[in-house]
Amino acid sequence: MYMEDEKIIALFFQRSEMALEQVRKKYGGLCAAVAGRILSDARDIEECVTDTWLRMWRSIPPERPASLKAYAARIARNLALDRYAYNTAERRNSALTEAFEELAGALGQEADRAEMLEGEAFRQLLNGFLKELNRKARIYFVRRYWYGESVKEIAESCGCSEEAVKSSLFRSRGKLRDTLAKEGLHV
């Protein structure tokens, strides 16, 4: 049985190393899976997971995450993306790179995009956008652009054709572009 998140966070605030042991037991598999969707090398994945615990140790306190699960997954994902960028600085051919290139058109110009992606207002806008999508479209969008799954993987796991996934993603990117334009964020 796993310890409740609130108790694990309390251990972090007490600076007890038991917090790391508990978060590792409870969310180690999740963090490895998140990093594994982005990275292919087992050593890189392991390093990202280990670095996740270090980042959590350094950031809690003062942070008090509302969801420890989401907090750990976000840190693991960001670390994996950083590692991926480092590993592929010259190579541009994976499913994740393709996914980012697809999404780039909906997000606007490079300079504006970097600033936009960091803002809390953008996070709220994106969450609102996702809530407006129907369930299937939201699943496809998140699996493609958050987890970096290929269109083929999404189609196989959702029991639909690749064309259905591609079509849904195309429409969703258009809706995102329209949403951003309404907010004055798309150039």
Side-chain angles (χ1 to χ4, degrees):
M1 194 69 185
Y2 296 116
M3 183 180 284
E4 293 177 19
D5 286 358
E6 296 79 23
K7 290 182 181 177
I8 296 172
I9 292 170
L11 289 173
F12 273 107
F13 272 82
Q14 295 168 11
R15 305 313 290 161
S16 170
E17 290 186 21
M18 191 169 158
L20 293 174
E21 180 183 322
Q22 292 299 318
V23 79
R24 193 177 302 126
K25 274 196 256 181
K26 191 168 184 180
Y27 297 120
L30 170 70
C31 291
V34 167
R37 297 303 288 142
I38 298 168
L39 302 167
S40 57
D41 186 278
R43 292 169 298 186
D44 285 344
I45 294 167
E46 184 180 338
E47 185 177 333
C48 283
V49 172
T50 302
D51 287 350
T52 298
W53 313 140
L54 179 61
R55 286 259 176 106
M56 291 179 79
W57 183 258
R58 289 180 176 166
S59 63
I60 306 173
E63 292 288 325
R64 185 177 287 274
S67 168
L68 194 59
K69 178 180 181 179
Y71 192 72
R74 182 178 53 121
I75 291 172
R77 180 178 183 273
N78 289 342
L79 288 167
L81 288 171
D82 290 346
R83 173 59 64 165
Y84 174 82
Y86 174 80
N87 289 347
T88 60
E90 294 296 319
R91 300 180 308 254
R92 301 186 51 80
N93 59 1
S94 76
L96 189 60
T97 300
E98 289 174 20
F100 288 158
E101 288 172 353
E102 287 171 12
L103 198 54
L107 294 178
Q109 294 180 353
E110 187 88 24
D112 298 328
R113 191 167 48 239
E115 185 177 312
M116 176 181 23
L117 291 174
E118 294 301 317
E120 179 61 31
F122 181 74
R123 279 194 268 298
Q124 290 175 359
L125 181 95
L126 187 57
N127 285 334
F129 162 76
L130 289 171
K131 286 177 185 175
E132 291 178 12
L133 294 178
N134 67 49
R135 186 175 185 276
K136 279 185 181 181
R138 184 171 47 250
I139 289 169
Y140 300 161
F141 192 90
V142 170
R143 291 179 79 160
R144 180 72 171 145
Y145 302 119
W146 176 263
Y147 292 108
E149 292 183 16
S150 70
V151 170
K152 182 178 181 179
E153 289 173 313
I154 297 167
E156 287 174 356
S157 66
C158 293
C160 62
S161 71
E162 290 182 41
E163 286 306 311
V165 174
K166 286 180 185 177
S167 178
S168 175
L169 291 170
F170 178 80
R171 287 190 304 272
S172 295
R173 288 191 307 271
K175 288 177 184 176
L176 177 58
R177 190 172 26 258
D178 293 345
T179 299
L180 293 172
K182 285 178 191 171
E183 295 295 321
L185 295 173
H186 186 272
V187 181

